[in-house]
């Protein structure tokens, strides 16, 4: 039976808090393939990452889920910073950690990225070739998504000016600002007139007992927005992403853009396997709906076994 061990991943001046999901037979002495989970923006290791890590461990893989730097139980300041460059760097430290484990085969390490984590996984793998295979589930190029949202509202320049003003105020001793990723409650979403099904499903997952976790704050440090706007997860993927890639998307497209991003990634990646479209699923339903996770993991098991086996 699969089991879990806590993991402390050294990241220079602080530690990343992780959970190692271990397959049955981990203590037999043989070396195992391993998969690092790159989680969605705002999520912690006990949420979506745990769902997929647990399922992969049951298939025989060591699976590492961890809280990103500055978030959850991991160290780093300022709190709740979502910096794409740091999220990508986290994955390099996770590779370091796994290569030092006696029962992990350093030549058989893959990564699975979910939502924004899919973009981070792709970006890391381009220049981190200790990662031998890249899986993604509902991948989102978070920079593209932020730019599209800001352009639609005509507020790109305004947002960057706001960040600049706040940075100056904080440098002069002002209080730091953290914005919510999504409405804090279903009632808040309804009061704000939110009707987009993907936003409502995000609230239902992250902010109700269905998926809520005490270490997931639903807050994003104000500097994050400028850093995300300037990031492109897929830049140079057509040149540098040479590992095998498996893209899995939800068939019901929506405002997250993960269906379109997944198709673009499949087009860009030189060694992309056939994309898997899970019919009837929406983006956030891929986080925890057993039927959809089972379909995704069945394909991921075959993919990682082929390339890490």
């Amino acid at each position: 039976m699969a089991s879990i061990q806590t993991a402390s991943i050294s990241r220079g001046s602080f530690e990343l808090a992780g959970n190692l999901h271990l397959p049955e037979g981990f203590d037999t002495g043989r070396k195992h393939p391993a998969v690092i989970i790159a989680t969605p923006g705002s999520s912690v290791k006990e949420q979506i990452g745990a769902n997929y890590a647990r399922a992969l461990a049951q298939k025989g893989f060591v699976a590492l889920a961890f809280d990103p730097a500055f978030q959850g139980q991991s160290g780093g300041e300022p709190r709740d910073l979502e910096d794409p460059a740091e999220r990508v760097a986290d994955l390099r430290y996770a590779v370091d950690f796994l290569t030092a484990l006696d029962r992990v085969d350093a030549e058989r390490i893959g990564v699975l990225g979910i939502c924004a984590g899919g973009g981070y996984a792709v970006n890391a793998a381009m220049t981190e070739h200790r990662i031998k295979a890249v899986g993604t589930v509902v991948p989102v190029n978070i920079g593209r998504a932020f730019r599209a949202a800001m352009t639609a509202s005509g507020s790109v320049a305004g947002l960057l000016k706001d960040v600049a003003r706040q940075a100056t105020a904080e440098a002069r001793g002002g209080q730091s600002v953290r914005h919510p990723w999504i409405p804090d409650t279903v009632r808040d979403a309804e009061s704000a007139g939110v009707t987009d099904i993907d936003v409502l499903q995000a609230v239902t997952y992250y902010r109700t007992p269905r998926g809520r976790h005490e270490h997931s704050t639903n807050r994003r440090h104000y500097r994050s927005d400028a850093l995300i706007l300037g990031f492109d997860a897929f830049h140079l993927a057509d040149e540098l992403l040479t590992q095998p890639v498996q893209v899995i998307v939800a068939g019901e497209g929506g405002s997250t853009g993960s269906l379109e991003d997944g198709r673009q990634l499949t087009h860009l990646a030189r060694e992309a396997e056939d994309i898997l479209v899970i019919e009837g699923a929406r983006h956030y339903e891929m986080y925890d709906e057993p039927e959809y996770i089972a379909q995704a993991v069945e394909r991921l098991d075959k993919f990682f076994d082929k390339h890490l086996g």
Side-chain angles (χ1 to χ4, degrees):
M1 181 179 294
S3 60
I4 302 176
Q5 291 182 2
T6 58
S8 184
I9 303 165
S10 177
R11 198 192 188 286
S13 60
F14 60 87
E15 306 288 313
L16 300 177
N19 285 331
L20 268 175
H21 294 252
L22 305 175
E24 185 175 0
F26 180 74
D27 293 323
T28 59
R30 68 182 180 89
K31 289 183 178 290
H32 296 262
V35 178
I36 300 164
I37 310 296
T39 56
S42 84
S43 73
V44 293
K45 61 187 179 298
E46 294 86 0
Q47 295 174 311
I48 305 96
N51 292 338
Y52 281 87
R54 182 168 50 249
L56 287 170
Q58 291 170 353
K59 297 292 186 180
F61 300 94
V62 172
L64 174 62
F66 62 91
D67 292 339
F70 317 108
Q71 301 174 35
Q73 292 179 296
S74 289
E77 294 288 342
R79 301 307 299 167
D80 296 318
L81 180 69
E82 180 79 7
D83 182 342
E86 298 290 359
R87 289 291 309 262
V88 170
D90 287 344
L91 296 173
R92 300 184 191 280
Y93 286 103
V95 174
D96 289 344
F97 173 81
L98 287 176
T99 59
L101 296 182
D102 290 339
R103 293 190 177 90
V104 168
D105 188 336
E107 296 301 316
R108 294 193 291 163
I109 295 175
V111 65
L112 170 62
I114 305 154
C115 189
Y120 298 142
V122 165
N123 200 266
M126 289 187 214
T127 54
E128 178 52 90
H129 280 221
R130 291 179 296 174
I131 295 173
K132 305 301 185 184
V134 181
T136 67
V137 173
V138 291
V140 170
N141 180 346
I142 192 171
R144 189 273 318 152
F146 261 58
R147 288 188 295 274
M150 292 299 101
T151 299
S153 64
S155 59
V156 172
L159 183 147
L160 292 173
K161 288 179 181 178
D162 287 343
V163 171
R165 281 193 292 267
Q166 178 57 33
T168 297
E170 188 172 319
R172 293 172 175 170
Q175 188 173 0
S176 184
V177 172
R178 295 149 67 241
H179 303 292
W181 284 90
I182 54 177
D184 279 317
T185 66
V186 173
R187 178 173 293 181
D188 287 348
E190 293 171 348
S191 297
V194 174
T195 58
D196 182 273
I197 186 171
D198 289 311
V199 176
L200 293 173
Q201 288 194 351
V203 175
T204 300
Y205 177 80
Y206 280 113
R207 307 308 298 166
T208 73
R210 171 183 163 194
R212 183 172 55 207
H213 192 275
E214 61 180 323
H215 296 138
S216 179
T217 65
N218 189 37
R219 291 297 182 271
R220 185 177 70 250
H221 189 273
Y222 78 93
R223 286 184 183 268
S224 306
D225 292 5
L227 298 170
I228 293 170
L229 278 174
F231 177 69
D232 185 342
F234 300 162
H235 179 57
L236 298 179
D238 54 337
E239 298 181 45
L240 300 180
L241 185 62
T242 58
Q243 298 96 320
V245 175
Q246 176 65 68
V247 176
I248 300 172
V249 293
E252 298 296 317
S255 60
T256 68
S258 57
L259 179 59
E260 294 78 12
D261 283 346
R263 286 173 172 160
Q264 183 191 19
L265 175 57
T266 301
H267 173 73
L268 291 172
R270 298 183 186 183
E271 299 297 326
E273 307 261 328
D274 290 341
I275 190 171
L276 173 62
V277 179
I278 298 187
E279 301 297 343
R282 298 197 69 86
H283 182 100
Y284 291 98
E285 292 172 335
M286 294 299 303
Y287 284 10
D288 67 338
E289 288 291 342
E291 174 189 355
Y292 300 139
I293 288 181
Q295 292 180 56
V297 171
E298 180 181 5
R299 175 65 68 88
L300 291 167
D301 178 32
K302 293 176 181 177
F303 171 73
F304 285 128
D305 186 60
K306 176 181 176 182
H307 297 291
L308 303 180

